[in-house]
């Protein structure tokens, strides 16, 4: 997956959430379990990545586990939560809704065989309960049933309460009054008088329930990355999550992670869509990042609770043209790249990117970032072949795995090896102005943007992606020529069970054969090597 996923395992063909319980906390958990386990469902689809419904269940299991551990921590340290007026009001509002809703569901149960007996049993139960609760209320007594109910409702919110505290006594008294009021409502329903079920209250902010933890939204991303970097996550993932956290904080007008509600995330989603961002970008970028950060925050006790996931359905786009470039578009773009001359002041790296990256994409089907981050040392001549190594060491690779790709003979004839031999060591197409991975990623984004802008001066059809269209065209050409799928996957870096390493022959020889009858693009003149 694209974000840090701990405690998620694919066992056979089923997804499993499993997290060990610290030994010191086990005596404070019912059953003294050694690990928390939830089965999330069957694996579906290609590859080994879970579908969104599994990640949603994963988030629910992670929150449940975090709540269990948090409660155990409180028991171990003998900590009690305070019950403030806002929390008490919220618990009572939830109870009022649930009690009346349960009565309504029980009244119209679908499996009733004898409606008169059903009514009699309900009437008897209501009268007995109402008599007990009114008796206790009249004498100022809080019975064992009420105490247990209130403790359970507090625990459901992650609260460990002291039953002798003033806050608990206020809540218990309010709960007893609610039991009486809802029972009176149920009795009216028994007499045929409709009594509406109150709507559930809106979610209460975590900071209103718990003593706030000093944790900012932007700081949550920073803390997450400290762990993510050590576990090998890519810098591009870090930048995506950091950007999402910063934009979310700017939108809210505050940076308090514990004050975030589910409604805040919904509003942010709507705001991003109104900005013109695609549903796919909002779902896979913004919402995915925030979900991952808050899940990690709960797991690592940075935030009191997860504000909840927000779903967004991405409609399938209507297809009105091929995803790949047409012959005319490909020829026009490569001709423009060949003839390109900078106007004004432009770094040499950007100029060469506009000249060479379109050609490299055309003959490899690679992702634009993989070629834009190419270094001189990533190109070599070996056993009579020119070979490109696409590696995470140069910046970022989606699969986090390097791959070697044989250079098409046409690229050799066009002078790409000559360009390489004259180039200085390091990145060929990046103007890096800052040290470290952040400097590389910033320069990479700049180069990709410049290439995209250049392509759009030639390819103005907005229905086609300016760089990824080469990837679609390459794969279509491979299919039309009847090329081996395993070799196609190895060249393009697509994940597949039969990809790379199992050719049954020399991998580079297989690629060389793959390109033997690959059609060449015809343009007016080749690019010049500077």
């Amino acid at each position: 997956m694209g974000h840090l996923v701990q405690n998620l395992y694919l066992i056979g063909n089923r997804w499993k959430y499993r997290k060990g319980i610290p030994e010191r906390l086990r005596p404070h958990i019912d059953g003294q379990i050694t690990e928390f386990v939830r089965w999330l469902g069957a694996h579906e689809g290609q590859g080994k990545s879970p579908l969104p419904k599994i990640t949603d269940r994963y988030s629910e299991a992670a929150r449940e586990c975090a709540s269990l551990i948090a409660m155990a921590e409180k028991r171990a340290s003998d900590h009690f939560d305070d019950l403030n007026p806002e929390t008490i009001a919220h618990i009572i509002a939830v109870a009022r809704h649930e009690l009346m809703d349960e009565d309504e569901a029980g009244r119209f149960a679908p499996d009733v065989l004898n409606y008169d007996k059903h009514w009699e049993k309900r009437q008897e139960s209501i009268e007995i309960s109402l008599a007990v609760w009114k008796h206790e209320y009249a004498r100022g007594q809080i019975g064992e049933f009420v105490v247990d109910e209130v403790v359970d409702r507090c625990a459901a919110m992650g609260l460990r309460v002291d039953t002798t505290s003033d806050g608990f006594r206020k809540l218990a008294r309010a709960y007893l009054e609610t039991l009486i009021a809802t029972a009176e409502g149920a009795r009216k329903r028994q007499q045929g008088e409709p009594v509406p079920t109150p709507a559930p209250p809106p979610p209460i902010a975590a900071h209103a329930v718990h003593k706030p933890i000093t944790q900012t939204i932007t700081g949550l991303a920073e803390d997450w990355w400290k762990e993510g970097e050590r576990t090998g996550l890519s810098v591009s993932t870090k930048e995506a999550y950091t950007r999402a956290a910063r934009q979310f904080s700017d939108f809210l007008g505050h940076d308090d992670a514990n004050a975030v509600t589910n409604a805040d995330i919904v509003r942010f989603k709507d705001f991003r869509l109104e900005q013109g961002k695609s549903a796919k970008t909002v779902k896979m970028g913004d919402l995915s990042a925030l979900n991952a950060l808050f899940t990690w925050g709960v797991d690592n006790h940075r935030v009191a609770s997860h504000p909840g996931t927000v779903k967004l359905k991405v409609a399938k786009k209507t297809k009105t043209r091929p995803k790949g470039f047409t012959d005319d578009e490909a020829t026009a773009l490569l001709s423009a790249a060949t003839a390109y001359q900078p106007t004004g002041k432009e770094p040499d790296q950007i100029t060469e990117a506009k000249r060479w990256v379109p050609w490299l994409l055309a003959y490899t089907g690679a992702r634009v970032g993989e070629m834009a981050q190419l270094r001189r040392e990533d190109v070599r001549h070996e056993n009579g072949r020119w070979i490109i190594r696409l590696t995470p060491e140069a910046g970022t690779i989606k699969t986090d795995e390097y791959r070697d790709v044989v250079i098409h003979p046409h690229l050799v004839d066009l002078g790409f090896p000559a360009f390489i031999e004259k180039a200085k060591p390091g990145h060929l197409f990046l103007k890096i102005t800052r040290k470290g991975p952040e400097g590389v990623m910033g320069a990479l984004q700049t180069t990709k943007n410049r290439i995209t802008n250049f392509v759009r001066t030639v390819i103005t059809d907005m229905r086609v992606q300016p760089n990824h269209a080469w990837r679609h065209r390459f794969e279509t050409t491979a299919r039309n020529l009847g090329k081996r799928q395993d070799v196609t996957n190895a060249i393009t870096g697509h994940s597949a069970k039969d990809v790379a390493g199992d050719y049954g022959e020399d991998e580079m020889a297989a690629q060389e054969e793959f390109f033997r009858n690959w059609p060449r693009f015809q343009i007016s003149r080749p690019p010049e090597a500077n």
Side-chain angles (χ1 to χ4, degrees), residues 6 17 19 59-70 206 213 215 220 258 291-308:
Q6 296 177 318
Y17 179 93
K19 181 171 183 175
S59 296
E60 292 173 5
R63 288 194 295 272
E64 184 183 354
C65 181
S67 297
L68 184 73
I69 291 176
I213 301 171
Q215 178 64 66
L220 190 62
N258 281 293
N291 180 46
L293 289 175
F294 277 99
T295 297
W296 181 88
V298 170
D299 281 348
N300 292 271
H301 309 295
R302 298 301 203 282
V303 291
S305 64
H306 194 301

Side-chain angles (χ1 to χ4, degrees), residues 55 57-58 91 93 189 264 321 421 482 488 510:
T55 58
R57 292 170 188 168
Y58 163 84
I91 292 174
R189 287 174 174 175
D264 289 333
R321 59 151 293 155
E421 290 175 342
T488 302

Side-chain angles (χ1 to χ4, degrees), residues 308-323:
T309 57
V310 172
K311 296 182 179 180
L312 176 61
K313 185 175 182 180
V314 179
K316 187 176 181 180
K317 289 185 178 180
T318 301
K319 185 177 180 181
T320 58
R321 59 151 293 155
K323 291 183 178 180

Side-chain angles (χ1 to χ4, degrees), residues 152-204:
D152 288 345
R153 287 189 175 275
C154 289
M157 294 183 63
L159 300 172
R160 182 172 183 254
V161 291
D162 180 0
T163 57
T164 65
S165 67
D166 290 339
F168 184 86
R169 285 194 293 270
K170 290 178 181 178
L171 175 57
R173 184 174 68 248
Y175 190 74
L176 177 59
E177 293 170 356
T178 301
L179 287 175
I180 294 172
T182 54
E184 294 279 13
R187 187 161 63 176
K188 288 182 180 180
R189 287 174 174 175
Q190 285 288 106
Q191 305 307 315
E193 182 180 343
V195 177
T197 297
I204 186 171

Side-chain angles (χ1 to χ4, degrees), residues 234-517:
S234 66
V235 176
S236 61
T237 303
K238 173 214 173 182
E239 292 200 337
Y241 283 23
T242 301
R243 182 170 57 252
R246 184 181 65 253
Q247 291 172 339
F248 185 47
S249 175
D250 290 343
F251 167 77
L252 293 176
H254 70 76
D255 202 27
D256 186 353
N258 281 293
V260 173
T261 67
N262 189 258
D264 289 333
I265 299 179
V266 171
R267 290 192 301 109
F268 180 60
K269 174 206 68 175
D270 294 341
F271 170 73
R272 294 286 282 164
L273 291 172
E274 290 171 2
Q275 283 186 314
K277 302 300 180 183
S278 70
K280 183 176 181 180
T281 296
V282 175
K283 177 179 180 178
M284 305 305 293
D286 302 328
L287 299 182
S288 177
L290 293 177
N291 180 46
L293 289 175
F294 277 99
T295 297
W296 181 88
V298 170
D299 281 348
N300 292 271
H301 309 295
R302 298 301 203 282
V303 291
S305 64
H306 194 301
T309 57
V310 172
K311 296 182 179 180
L312 176 61
K313 185 175 182 180
V314 179
K316 187 176 181 180
K317 289 185 178 180
T318 301
K319 185 177 180 181
T320 58
R321 59 151 293 155
K323 291 183 178 180
F325 289 134
T326 64
D327 291 345
D328 289 343
E329 288 172 334
T331 302
L333 181 51
L334 294 178
S335 295
T338 298
Y340 177 75
Q341 293 295 331
T343 56
K345 206 169 182 181
E346 180 178 78
D348 292 341
Q349 294 90 338
I350 300 299
T351 299
E352 298 300 345
K354 294 176 182 179
R355 289 174 176 169
W356 282 111
V357 171
W359 280 99
L360 293 167
L361 299 182
Y363 279 121
T364 63
R367 302 172 182 90
V368 62
E370 295 173 337
M371 283 301 175
Q373 68 188 21
L374 199 63
R375 303 171 301 179
R376 185 187 189 279
E377 53 266 36
D378 297 328
V379 183
R380 68 184 189 274
H381 190 259
E382 184 178 276
N383 297 326
R385 308 179 188 99
W386 283 94
I387 299 170
I388 291 174
R389 171 159 292 185
L390 302 174
T391 172
E393 293 178 348
T396 180
I397 297 290
K398 186 175 182 180
T399 60
D400 289 328
E401 296 181 359
Y402 85 89
R403 68 181 187 276
D404 287 338
V405 178
V406 169
I407 295 178
H408 188 284
H410 194 193
L411 287 173
V412 177
D413 295 343
L414 291 173
F416 185 65
F419 165 71
I420 292 298
E421 290 175 342
K422 291 182 179 180
K424 297 178 181 179
H427 289 89
L428 300 169
F429 308 123
L430 305 186
K431 178 67 174 178
I432 300 173
T433 58
R434 289 183 294 157
K435 295 182 179 180
E438 289 80 5
V440 173
M441 297 307 298
L444 176 60
Q445 189 60 53
T446 297
T447 295
K448 290 195 297 182
N449 291 343
R450 298 294 183 272
I451 294 171
T452 297
N453 293 340
F454 166 68
V455 171
R456 283 301 183 204
T457 65
V458 182
I459 309 298
T460 57
D461 189 342
M462 300 304 291
R463 295 172 299 170
V464 66
Q465 294 176 290
N467 299 303
H468 212 67
W470 285 121
R471 193 166 175 81
H472 291 299
R473 180 184 173 90
F474 187 92
E475 291 167 346
T476 299
T477 301
R479 283 194 300 272
N480 292 342
L481 293 174
K483 297 296 184 181
R484 286 169 48 177
Q485 188 63 50
D486 58 343
V487 183
T488 302
N489 288 338
I491 293 171
T492 60
H494 264 149
S495 297
K497 291 181 180 179
D498 58 355
V499 69
D502 290 326
Y503 288 16
E505 57 189 275
D506 180 78
E507 297 177 17
M508 297 299 97
Q511 289 193 25
E512 188 175 42
E513 179 62 29
F514 178 95
F515 284 124
R516 193 170 301 281
N517 66 336

